[in-house]
Amino acid sequence: MAKFVAIFVCLVILETGWALKCKMCKDATCSMLEDQTCQASTSTSEAACLTHIYKANENAKENTIEKSCVNRAKDGKYDCIKHKKEEVEITCDTCVEDFCNEKSGADKISLASLAVVSVIALIAPKFL
């Protein structure tokens, strides 16, 4: 059993280290999302998931939502790109956990969390 848990943990670490997974808007209203795999384009940048919410102008009634992969500086800085001069930015957030730009992402149990719980369950009896 211990070998199985160790192999599982190694596979999870390898899987999470290869590429970041984000959600991307599939339609103009961002009501439908699809998975997108992200990779950093340079050694000075890192892949990140973007959630950009803005209004087309000050008088716009509805917000526009943009979700996708982006490359941000390794220090976490990213400046959202304005599509129009009169655009009003509401929020521009990036994050680096799988599917962190999905609304219900906090409800999901990741494989990494499952691996940690497995290791704790394996080690705990030795200390009790």
Side-chain angles (χ1 to χ4, degrees):
M1 181 65 174
K3 289 181 183 179
F4 173 75
V5 172
I7 291 170
F8 179 73
V9 170
C10 289
L11 289 174
V12 168
I13 291 170
L14 285 174
E15 187 269 333
T16 57
W18 282 345
L20 178 66
K21 292 174 181 54
C22 299
K23 289 295 183 177
M24 179 178 82
C25 295
K26 194 172 182 176
D27 59 352
T29 62
C30 207
S31 60
M32 296 174 47
L33 301 173
E34 65 183 2
D35 295 353
Q36 184 179 26
T37 302
C38 318
Q39 295 186 2
S41 63
T42 67
S43 62
T44 59
S45 67
E46 65 181 354
C49 300
L50 170 71
T51 301
H52 184 201
I53 303 172
Y54 60 93
K55 289 187 177 196
N57 58 51
E58 288 184 23
N59 299 323
K61 292 183 180 181
E62 303 231 350
N63 293 341
T64 301
I65 302 171
E66 179 183 2
K67 293 185 180 202
S68 64
C69 291
V70 295
N71 283 302
R72 71 177 190 184
K74 289 204 177 196
D75 63 3
K77 292 183 181 179
Y78 179 78
D79 293 323
C80 277
I81 299 167
K82 281 192 169 190
H83 302 287
K84 295 179 180 178
K85 182 179 177 183
E86 58 275 352
E87 184 177 299
V88 178
E89 185 173 298
I90 296 171
T91 184
C92 177
D93 296 319
T94 58
C95 52
V96 292
E97 295 82 29
D98 283 343
F99 302 117
C100 58
N101 67 338
E102 176 185 27
K103 282 185 180 180
S104 61
D107 298 334
K108 291 186 174 184
I109 297 175
S110 68
L111 288 177
S113 300
L114 185 59
V116 169
V117 170
S118 300
V119 170
I120 291 170
L122 182 68
I123 295 172
K126 294 180 182 182
F127 294 105
L128 297 176

